[in-house]
mmCIF file of all heavy atoms in Angstrom:
data_model
loop_
_atom_site.group_PDB
_atom_site.id
_atom_site.type_symbol
_atom_site.label_atom_id
_atom_site.label_comp_id
_atom_site.label_asym_id
_atom_site.label_seq_id
_atom_site.Cartn_x
_atom_site.Cartn_y
_atom_site.Cartn_z
ATOM 1 N N ILE A 825 -83.345 58.166 88.712
ATOM 2 C CA ILE A 825 -84.292 58.047 87.592
ATOM 3 C C ILE A 825 -85.250 59.116 87.456
ATOM 4 O O ILE A 825 -85.570 59.636 86.423
ATOM 5 C CB ILE A 825 -85.007 56.660 87.874
ATOM 6 C CG1 ILE A 825 -83.993 55.461 87.755
ATOM 7 C CG2 ILE A 825 -86.069 56.494 86.759
ATOM 8 C CD1 ILE A 825 -84.545 54.184 88.186
ATOM 9 N N TYR A 826 -85.741 59.662 88.607
ATOM 10 C CA TYR A 826 -86.618 60.814 88.704
ATOM 11 C C TYR A 826 -85.951 62.020 87.883
ATOM 12 O O TYR A 826 -86.553 62.608 87.007
ATOM 13 C CB TYR A 826 -86.881 61.245 90.118
ATOM 14 C CG TYR A 826 -87.612 62.446 90.279
ATOM 15 C CD1 TYR A 826 -89.057 62.470 90.509
ATOM 16 C CD2 TYR A 826 -86.987 63.771 90.328
ATOM 17 C CE1 TYR A 826 -89.800 63.622 90.689
ATOM 18 C CE2 TYR A 826 -87.736 64.901 90.488
ATOM 19 C CZ TYR A 826 -89.122 64.871 90.608
ATOM 20 O OH TYR A 826 -89.775 66.016 90.775
ATOM 21 N N SER A 827 -84.644 62.333 88.219
ATOM 22 C CA SER A 827 -84.031 63.488 87.609
ATOM 23 C C SER A 827 -83.816 63.248 86.074
ATOM 24 O O SER A 827 -83.984 64.206 85.380
ATOM 25 C CB SER A 827 -82.618 63.639 88.255
ATOM 26 O OG SER A 827 -82.710 63.992 89.607
ATOM 27 N N TYR A 828 -83.525 62.001 85.741
ATOM 28 C CA TYR A 828 -83.376 61.660 84.290
ATOM 29 C C TYR A 828 -84.685 61.887 83.526
ATOM 30 O O TYR A 828 -84.694 62.559 82.475
ATOM 31 C CB TYR A 828 -82.825 60.254 84.092
ATOM 32 C CG TYR A 828 -82.583 59.958 82.613
ATOM 33 C CD1 TYR A 828 -81.546 60.597 81.927
ATOM 34 C CD2 TYR A 828 -83.341 59.060 81.980
ATOM 35 C CE1 TYR A 828 -81.327 60.328 80.547
ATOM 36 C CE2 TYR A 828 -83.164 58.871 80.519
ATOM 37 C CZ TYR A 828 -82.137 59.511 79.879
ATOM 38 O OH TYR A 828 -81.906 59.261 78.544
ATOM 39 N N LEU A 829 -85.724 61.327 84.027
ATOM 40 C CA LEU A 829 -87.076 61.462 83.422
ATOM 41 C C LEU A 829 -87.445 62.898 83.338
ATOM 42 O O LEU A 829 -87.951 63.345 82.258
ATOM 43 C CB LEU A 829 -88.103 60.702 84.231
ATOM 44 C CG LEU A 829 -88.135 59.176 84.037
ATOM 45 C CD1 LEU A 829 -89.019 58.462 85.104
ATOM 46 C CD2 LEU A 829 -88.595 58.820 82.659
ATOM 47 N N ASN A 830 -87.261 63.594 84.412
ATOM 48 C CA ASN A 830 -87.526 65.066 84.384
ATOM 49 C C ASN A 830 -86.696 65.837 83.383
ATOM 50 O O ASN A 830 -87.233 66.597 82.630
ATOM 51 C CB ASN A 830 -87.194 65.557 85.804
ATOM 52 C CG ASN A 830 -88.123 66.692 86.229
ATOM 53 O OD1 ASN A 830 -89.155 66.882 85.696
ATOM 54 N ND2 ASN A 830 -87.596 67.606 87.091
ATOM 55 N N ALA A 831 -85.449 65.591 83.322
ATOM 56 C CA ALA A 831 -84.558 66.211 82.322
ATOM 57 C C ALA A 831 -85.004 65.945 80.856
ATOM 58 O O ALA A 831 -84.770 66.677 79.934
ATOM 59 C CB ALA A 831 -83.124 65.793 82.520
ATOM 60 N N GLN A 832 -85.634 64.714 80.727
ATOM 61 C CA GLN A 832 -86.039 64.361 79.297
ATOM 62 C C GLN A 832 -87.500 64.771 79.036
ATOM 63 O O GLN A 832 -88.113 64.418 78.102
ATOM 64 C CB GLN A 832 -85.958 62.824 79.228
ATOM 65 C CG GLN A 832 -84.574 62.238 79.055
ATOM 66 C CD GLN A 832 -83.987 62.512 77.696
ATOM 67 O OE1 GLN A 832 -84.546 63.245 76.864
ATOM 68 N NE2 GLN A 832 -82.856 61.837 77.414
ATOM 69 N N GLY A 833 -88.023 65.580 80.075
ATOM 70 C CA GLY A 833 -89.424 66.135 79.749
ATOM 71 C C GLY A 833 -90.493 65.100 80.004
ATOM 72 O O GLY A 833 -91.605 65.312 79.415
ATOM 73 N N ALA A 834 -90.247 63.970 80.615
ATOM 74 C CA ALA A 834 -91.233 62.935 80.796
ATOM 75 C C ALA A 834 -92.302 63.326 81.854
ATOM 76 O O ALA A 834 -91.926 64.125 82.735
ATOM 77 C CB ALA A 834 -90.501 61.631 81.128
ATOM 78 N N LYS A 835 -93.454 62.776 81.664
ATOM 79 C CA LYS A 835 -94.526 62.863 82.671
ATOM 80 C C LYS A 835 -94.265 61.788 83.695
ATOM 81 O O LYS A 835 -94.586 60.596 83.451
ATOM 82 C CB LYS A 835 -95.796 62.782 81.970
ATOM 83 C CG LYS A 835 -97.019 62.784 82.905
ATOM 84 C CD LYS A 835 -97.535 64.252 83.294
ATOM 85 C CE LYS A 835 -98.787 64.221 84.146
ATOM 86 N NZ LYS A 835 -98.455 63.749 85.553
ATOM 87 N N ILE A 836 -93.874 62.162 84.836
ATOM 88 C CA ILE A 836 -93.563 61.088 85.911
ATOM 89 C C ILE A 836 -94.927 60.811 86.616
ATOM 90 O O ILE A 836 -95.651 61.745 86.963
ATOM 91 C CB ILE A 836 -92.572 61.635 86.944
ATOM 92 C CG1 ILE A 836 -91.129 61.878 86.124
ATOM 93 C CG2 ILE A 836 -92.371 60.626 88.088
ATOM 94 C CD1 ILE A 836 -90.196 62.677 86.939
ATOM 95 N N GLU A 837 -95.123 59.566 86.908
ATOM 96 C CA GLU A 837 -96.261 59.164 87.591
ATOM 97 C C GLU A 837 -95.945 58.234 88.702
ATOM 98 O O GLU A 837 -95.310 57.237 88.585
ATOM 99 C CB GLU A 837 -97.332 58.477 86.693
ATOM 100 C CG GLU A 837 -98.640 58.235 87.304
ATOM 101 C CD GLU A 837 -99.672 57.512 86.418
ATOM 102 O OE1 GLU A 837 -99.272 57.120 85.299
ATOM 103 O OE2 GLU A 837 -100.777 57.197 86.813
ATOM 104 N N LEU A 838 -96.366 58.651 89.974
ATOM 105 C CA LEU A 838 -96.034 57.805 91.101
ATOM 106 C C LEU A 838 -97.122 56.731 91.181
ATOM 107 O O LEU A 838 -98.294 57.041 91.178
ATOM 108 C CB LEU A 838 -95.984 58.519 92.450
ATOM 109 C CG LEU A 838 -94.751 59.509 92.495
ATOM 110 C CD1 LEU A 838 -94.905 60.335 93.931
ATOM 111 C CD2 LEU A 838 -93.483 58.817 92.436
ATOM 112 N N LEU A 839 -96.642 55.440 91.307
ATOM 113 C CA LEU A 839 -97.579 54.316 91.315
ATOM 114 C C LEU A 839 -97.610 53.822 92.717
ATOM 115 O O LEU A 839 -96.906 54.173 93.637
ATOM 116 C CB LEU A 839 -97.131 53.221 90.383
ATOM 117 C CG LEU A 839 -96.740 53.670 88.951
ATOM 118 C CD1 LEU A 839 -96.033 52.501 88.203
ATOM 119 C CD2 LEU A 839 -97.941 54.130 88.216
ATOM 120 N N GLU A 840 -98.547 52.878 92.899
ATOM 121 C CA GLU A 840 -98.722 52.230 94.263
ATOM 122 C C GLU A 840 -97.516 51.442 94.579
ATOM 123 O O GLU A 840 -96.941 50.811 93.684
ATOM 124 C CB GLU A 840 -99.937 51.274 94.206
ATOM 125 C CG GLU A 840 -101.092 51.804 95.074
ATOM 126 C CD GLU A 840 -102.270 50.801 94.933
ATOM 127 O OE1 GLU A 840 -102.211 49.833 95.574
ATOM 128 O OE2 GLU A 840 -103.289 51.142 94.168
ATOM 129 N N ILE A 841 -97.111 51.405 95.815
ATOM 130 C CA ILE A 841 -95.937 50.634 96.269
ATOM 131 C C ILE A 841 -96.590 49.438 97.102
ATOM 132 O O ILE A 841 -97.297 49.614 98.009
ATOM 133 C CB ILE A 841 -94.983 51.405 97.188
ATOM 134 C CG1 ILE A 841 -94.486 52.633 96.399
ATOM 135 C CG2 ILE A 841 -93.853 50.522 97.593
ATOM 136 C CD1 ILE A 841 -93.763 53.623 97.361
ATOM 137 N N GLY A 842 -96.246 48.187 96.652
ATOM 138 C CA GLY A 842 -96.828 47.033 97.307
ATOM 139 C C GLY A 842 -96.308 46.791 98.665
ATOM 140 O O GLY A 842 -95.252 47.262 99.035
ATOM 141 N N LYS A 843 -97.116 46.070 99.439
ATOM 142 C CA LYS A 843 -96.711 45.753 100.810
ATOM 143 C C LYS A 843 -95.696 44.621 100.705
ATOM 144 O O LYS A 843 -95.765 43.615 100.154
ATOM 145 C CB LYS A 843 -97.913 45.200 101.612
ATOM 146 C CG LYS A 843 -97.554 44.848 102.998
ATOM 147 C CD LYS A 843 -98.811 44.288 103.795
ATOM 148 C CE LYS A 843 -98.256 43.875 105.174
ATOM 149 N NZ LYS A 843 -99.456 43.414 105.995
ATOM 150 N N PRO A 844 -94.514 44.931 101.401
ATOM 151 C CA PRO A 844 -93.379 43.923 101.279
ATOM 152 C C PRO A 844 -93.572 42.810 102.294
ATOM 153 O O PRO A 844 -94.353 42.963 103.297
ATOM 154 C CB PRO A 844 -92.141 44.734 101.660
ATOM 155 C CG PRO A 844 -92.643 45.793 102.502
ATOM 156 C CD PRO A 844 -94.104 46.160 102.153
ATOM 157 N N LYS A 845 -92.952 41.685 102.036
ATOM 158 C CA LYS A 845 -92.886 40.608 103.064
ATOM 159 C C LYS A 845 -92.417 41.116 104.377
ATOM 160 O O LYS A 845 -91.534 42.069 104.361
ATOM 161 C CB LYS A 845 -92.034 39.556 102.469
ATOM 162 C CG LYS A 845 -91.854 38.234 103.181
ATOM 163 C CD LYS A 845 -91.107 37.222 102.440
ATOM 164 C CE LYS A 845 -90.677 36.042 103.227
ATOM 165 N NZ LYS A 845 -89.970 34.946 102.533
ATOM 166 N N ASN A 846 -92.870 40.519 105.491
ATOM 167 C CA ASN A 846 -92.381 41.106 106.823
ATOM 168 C C ASN A 846 -92.091 39.914 107.682
ATOM 169 O O ASN A 846 -92.042 40.164 108.923
ATOM 170 C CB ASN A 846 -93.429 42.074 107.339
ATOM 171 C CG ASN A 846 -94.791 41.358 107.579
ATOM 172 O OD1 ASN A 846 -94.973 40.194 107.362
ATOM 173 N ND2 ASN A 846 -95.781 42.196 107.940
ATOM 174 N N HIS A 847 -92.006 38.712 107.230
ATOM 175 C CA HIS A 847 -91.618 37.655 108.220
ATOM 176 C C HIS A 847 -90.677 36.654 107.538
ATOM 177 O O HIS A 847 -90.916 36.237 106.409
ATOM 178 C CB HIS A 847 -92.937 36.867 108.670
ATOM 179 C CG HIS A 847 -92.554 35.811 109.600
ATOM 180 N ND1 HIS A 847 -92.324 35.844 110.901
ATOM 181 C CD2 HIS A 847 -92.507 34.419 109.328
ATOM 182 C CE1 HIS A 847 -92.017 34.686 111.413
ATOM 183 N NE2 HIS A 847 -92.045 33.801 110.529
#
Side-chain angles (χ1 to χ4, degrees):
I825 295 171
Y826 174 95
S827 298
Y828 181 71
L829 281 167
N830 209 27
Q832 287 284 13
K835 173 88 178 70
I836 299 166
E837 190 183 359
L838 291 180
L839 308 170
E840 251 179 76
I841 302 169
K843 181 180 174 175
K845 182 172 168 179
N846 61 6
H847 178 79

